[in-house]
Amino acid sequence: MRKKLLMPLVRILIFGLFFQQFAFADNKPNAPDARVAEFYSWFMKNDSDQTYPLNEKRIYSYVSKATVDRLKEDYKRSGPPGDVDYFLKVQDYDGRDWLAHVATRPAIMLGNVAVVPVTFGSKEKADVLVFMEKLDGVWKITKVEDTRPYR
């Protein structure tokens, strides 16, 4: 009788501990979604007609060196890929609204790659998927894709 009562309690305890791990994962400062939110806050504060974050050294703390270097080459040759800002996937945006409304979702893990869905803005919204890898112990952006249909 005791064994029949004990097994469900053990299962509940294991189940609770398993999901508790995921509940606290998003609160870590180096969690993929936290890093993405930090990046976009920095990016939008430094994106202006006078400066562009791709030219700032600090970008390497958020974005992989290979990605930054490739983007710099692309921008020198032919401008931004797709004629839109690579990290935002738009030509123009309401900086004040988007800075105040960056919503990240918990990362989806695909092996060693974290995919973080992000929504910008409260009025004219845009969505991107940010791909990240852990490099030297820190989650860094390796690629950004929009969610619009292929045209």
Side-chain angles (χ1 to χ4, degrees), residues 54-151:
L54 192 61
N55 295 324
E56 302 292 325
K57 287 186 180 195
R58 187 163 177 202
I59 197 161
Y60 289 103
S61 65
Y62 298 111
V63 182
S64 77
K65 181 176 180 350
T67 300
V68 172
D69 293 349
R70 177 100 188 253
L71 283 169
K72 284 182 176 184
E73 285 178 27
D74 288 347
Y75 274 65
K76 281 180 189 174
R77 259 184 298 185
S78 59
D83 293 326
V84 296
D85 180 277
Y86 180 78
F87 296 102
L88 301 173
K89 301 300 181 190
V90 296
Q91 288 182 342
D92 297 310
Y93 67 99
D94 180 344
R96 189 174 295 161
D97 180 53
W98 280 30
L99 183 58
H101 298 95
V102 177
T104 60
R105 307 296 187 295
I108 301 161
M109 295 304 301
L110 303 169
N112 65 336
V113 174
V115 181
V116 180
V118 182
T119 300
F120 304 109
S122 65
K123 302 167 194 151
E124 293 183 33
K125 295 182 179 187
D127 301 296
V128 296
L129 298 174
V130 179
F131 292 75
M132 306 180 83
E133 288 186 39
K134 206 167 209 179
L135 304 169
D136 298 323
V138 179
W139 287 104
K140 292 193 177 187
I141 297 168
T142 57
K143 178 170 75 168
V144 179
E145 294 289 338
D146 66 32
T147 59
R148 290 179 292 205
Y150 180 72
R151 294 173 201 219

Side-chain angles (χ1 to χ4, degrees), residues 12-64:
I12 290 171
L13 180 61
I14 291 171
F15 184 79
L17 289 173
F18 178 76
F19 282 101
Q20 180 181 15
Q21 175 184 349
F22 290 107
F24 290 113
D26 293 339
N27 295 329
K28 294 179 183 175
N30 193 31
D33 53 335
R35 292 284 296 163
V36 167
E38 185 181 331
F39 166 74
Y40 278 111
S41 175
W42 170 80
F43 182 89
M44 286 189 235
K45 287 176 185 172
N46 290 281
D47 187 22
S48 70
D49 291 337
Q50 291 76 36
T51 63
Y52 184 62
L54 192 61
N55 295 324
E56 302 292 325
K57 287 186 180 195
R58 187 163 177 202
I59 197 161
Y60 289 103
S61 65
Y62 298 111
V63 182
S64 77

